[in-house]
Amino acid sequence: MNRVPTMIKTTNMENYTRGFSSNIGAILAAAGGAVGLGNIWRFPYMLGQNGGGAFLLVYVFFVILIGVPLMMTEFIIGRRAQSNVVGAYRKLSHGNKGWITLGIFGIVAAFLIYAFYSVVAGWTLNYIVLSCRGHLSGKEPEAITQLFQSFTQDSFWPLLYQGLFLILTGSVIVMGVQKGIEKVSKILMPILFILLILMSVRSLTLGAGAKEGLAFLFNPDFSKLTGSSILAALGQSFFSLSIGMGAMVTYGSYIRKEDKLFNTSLWIAGCDSLVAILAGIVIFPAVFAFGMNPASGPELVYIVLPNVFNSMPAGTLFAIIFFLLLGIAALTSTISLLEILVAFGVEEFHWKRGVASFFSTLLVFLIGAFCNLSFGPLKDATLFGKTIFDLFDLITASYLMPIGALLMTIFLGWFFPKVEVKDELSNSGTLKVKAFELYYFILRFVSPIALLIIIISGIIG
Ligand code: TRP
């Protein structure tokens, strides 16, 4: 122990100041991690491709039935262990190698997600610049499509913007949990909500198409649901809530001991679903009002929306607001992704925060560059017909997260003592958790069985 006295000192200091300073700080930071491109970019196009309203219902169902309990599960693990995801499994399993591997699996998943996520986050920077300079306005639809394609297929600019986004994220993380993550989330999240509400009002006042768009979003047509769209809804709910691979274990370890984990989870899931639905309210009425295709896939916000902005009064202003909003949402999420890696480096290897941030960012950039170039020079490097970018997305959202979630519920529900779970959820018995037995039942039976069915049906196709 005495070999590394200075390191032990810093670790102690970090433990002393460990975590968020308030409950609202924790909620905004974790909601910031959850609310991201997943809500504003991925959710609308997934919904567009998977049948509209029915997808929304299945999605909300999964958020309530599996999402909230699973987020609580991650918070319980993190707060109990007071540790990053690998350290958490090590501490709580008393050094069992199998469970530590599950923690490492979480680190790998965070790397993969950050690698492809930062590509699209970088695009938002370019679109903020383009819209501020008025380069999106007054263009014909073909020119807008052309603009998107030539930008994403380029081998310089997208990399530059991805790199910039990674640096921006890194500079928040270096400032620490309270002065970086918490402070930035407290500023950006309210701005995000205000911008989103502004945009929804704009979209809802677009006349006839608005009704059609709302009907697409809210009127379920269950004949459009298939096995794969149900799997997609589950993957989307996990991706959007940032659960399944231990991201919330890290944030959970920063939640104060006196905060209520159930209420905190509900707030975060509520904010997250609200933002996804608001994003739908922004996008679909506008898409229908201007006769665009809601099922156009990942290009939905980058090609379809600029056309929509061009057709509306003060479109340039709304384009700027929209892409700013998208960038803010992406930033609070990349912050949460990098923090998983940095907390791991700092606590497991005793690296300084700055060093851990630098090396994680560099490694993510090296891997992320392949995802980035898979839109251009590497677009023919495919496996099962999917580009590197699509593979990273598919592997993480459809496989790693459900499998990680399954193993996590087995760990907490079947291997970890029930009294300790109850102790953590009830803040050492000071809170009455009325629905504890219900939570525990979902943890032990409902979630694992649902996850198993979904994983198997996903594999069988
Ligand atoms: N939830 C974020 C979104 O919707 C993405 C994200 C951030 C994430 N951190 C994560 C997903 C950790 C899974 C795990 O955009």
Side-chain angles (χ1 to χ4, degrees):
M1 286 277 270
N2 286 336
R3 273 182 304 136
V4 279
T6 48
M7 288 171 187
I8 286 174
K9 198 167 151 235
T10 42
T11 312
N12 283 343
M13 271 175 58
E14 257 152 26
N15 280 342
Y16 177 66
T17 53
R18 187 187 179 87
F20 299 125
S21 67
S22 61
N23 192 223
I24 183 76
I27 290 173
L28 290 177
V35 171
L37 295 170
N39 304 60
I40 303 171
W41 165 71
R42 200 172 186 277
F43 174 78
Y45 88 72
M46 288 301 252
L47 184 126
Q49 288 181 327
N50 288 286
F55 181 87
L56 177 65
L57 271 190
V58 178
Y59 169 78
V60 170
F61 175 77
F62 280 138
V63 168
I64 296 168
L65 185 78
I66 307 189
V68 173
L70 218 68
M71 188 177 292
M72 288 162 65
T73 302
E74 295 206 20
F75 283 161
I76 291 171
I77 294 175
R79 197 172 69 169
R80 190 80 185 164
Q82 289 293 300
S83 181
N84 72 89
V85 59
V86 174
Y89 282 110
R90 194 187 48 245
K91 281 189 195 167
L92 300 189
S93 72
H94 304 291
N96 177 303
K97 288 228 169 56
W99 293 119
I100 296 173
T101 312
L102 181 57
I104 294 172
F105 182 90
I107 296 292
V108 173
F111 257 114
L112 298 181
I113 295 172
Y114 196 16
F116 81 84
Y117 198 88
S118 54
V119 175
V120 185
W123 295 353
T124 63
L125 286 186
N126 180 44
Y127 272 74
I128 292 172
V129 175
L130 285 175
S131 51
C132 283
R133 297 175 69 189
H135 285 190
L136 294 173
S137 39
K139 285 212 160 61
E140 291 298 313
E142 297 75 42
I144 285 183
T145 307
Q146 173 67 31
L147 188 77
F148 176 77
Q149 285 172 349
S150 61
F151 166 66
T152 52
Q153 290 169 8
D154 192 66
S155 48
F156 175 73
W157 290 103
L159 283 176
L160 180 79
Y161 281 116
Q162 184 184 17
L164 281 177
F165 211 96
L166 291 171
I167 293 172
L168 192 62
T169 309
S171 41
V172 175
I173 289 297
V174 174
M175 292 190 283
V177 175
Q178 287 183 11
K179 295 209 178 93
I181 304 174
E182 188 174 347
K183 201 166 171 195
V184 168
S185 308
K186 275 183 174 167
I187 299 170
L188 293 185
M189 291 306 286
I191 297 181
L192 181 121
F193 271 101
I194 294 170
L195 296 183
L196 203 54
I197 288 168
L198 252 172
M199 290 296 301
S200 327
V201 172
R202 168 68 277 195
S203 204
L204 287 174
T205 49
L206 283 173
K211 274 211 195 80
E212 218 184 314
L214 289 181
F216 180 74
L217 182 60
F218 292 117
N219 285 354
D221 173 359
F222 289 102
S223 66
K224 289 193 182 145
L225 273 189
T226 60
S228 76
S229 60
I230 294 176
L231 183 68
L234 182 84
Q236 174 60 27
S237 69
F238 280 21
F239 185 84
S240 187
L241 293 171
S242 307
I243 49 179
M245 26 70 66
M248 289 296 180
V249 169
T250 306
Y251 273 14
S253 76
Y254 300 148
I255 298 179
R256 299 179 312 171
K257 282 286 185 191
E258 64 264 39
D259 292 341
K260 300 173 183 168
L261 294 184
F262 174 61
N263 297 30
T264 305
S265 310
L266 267 188
W267 271 106
I268 297 164
C271 282
D272 189 67
S273 300
L274 181 68
V275 171
I277 293 171
L278 281 175
I281 294 178
V282 170
I283 292 172
F284 293 110
V287 165
F288 280 89
F290 296 102
M292 305 275 173
N293 176 15
S296 58
E299 288 108 74
L300 186 63
V301 305
Y302 291 99
I303 293 181
V304 178
L305 280 190
N307 281 314
V308 169
F309 294 136
N310 268 337
S311 324
M312 62 169 69
T316 305
L317 179 66
F318 286 104
I320 296 173
I321 296 178
F322 181 80
F323 288 113
L324 201 60
L325 166 84
L326 198 60
I328 291 175
L331 180 62
T332 48
S333 293
T334 51
I335 288 172
S336 82
L337 283 163
L338 181 58
E339 180 60 21
I340 304 170
L341 307 176
V342 169
F344 169 69
V346 168
E347 294 173 359
E348 299 298 309
F349 299 109
H350 304 295
W351 290 347
K352 290 226 165 66
R353 242 186 125 74
V355 175
S357 309
F358 179 78
F359 283 107
S360 313
T361 300
L362 193 66
L363 193 58
V364 169
F365 188 59
L366 292 177
I367 305 172
F370 287 94
C371 298
N372 198 322
L373 296 175
S374 75
F375 287 91
L378 297 179
K379 75 169 170 295
D380 297 321
T382 55
L383 195 64
F384 311 118
K386 299 210 173 283
T387 64
I388 304 173
F389 180 94
D390 291 339
L391 275 178
F392 274 44
D393 182 348
L394 181 82
I395 290 172
T396 49
S398 294
Y399 297 99
L400 292 187
M401 288 192 192
I403 294 171
L406 172 66
L407 296 173
M408 185 184 306
T409 54
I410 292 175
F411 173 73
L412 203 73
W414 295 87
F415 284 85
F416 199 66
K418 183 176 177 181
V419 282
E420 288 203 39
V421 176
K422 189 161 185 182
D423 185 75
E424 194 58 44
L425 202 56
S426 65
N427 296 357
S428 310
T430 55
L431 295 175
K432 273 212 196 82
V433 266
K434 279 180 244 135
F436 179 75
E437 290 302 329
L438 176 64
Y439 163 72
Y440 205 64
F441 180 75
I442 294 179
L443 173 68
R444 294 192 78 178
F445 300 102
V446 180
S447 308
I449 292 172
L451 286 162
L452 207 60
I453 294 173
I454 284 155
I455 293 164
I456 293 172
S457 62
I459 291 171
I460 299 172

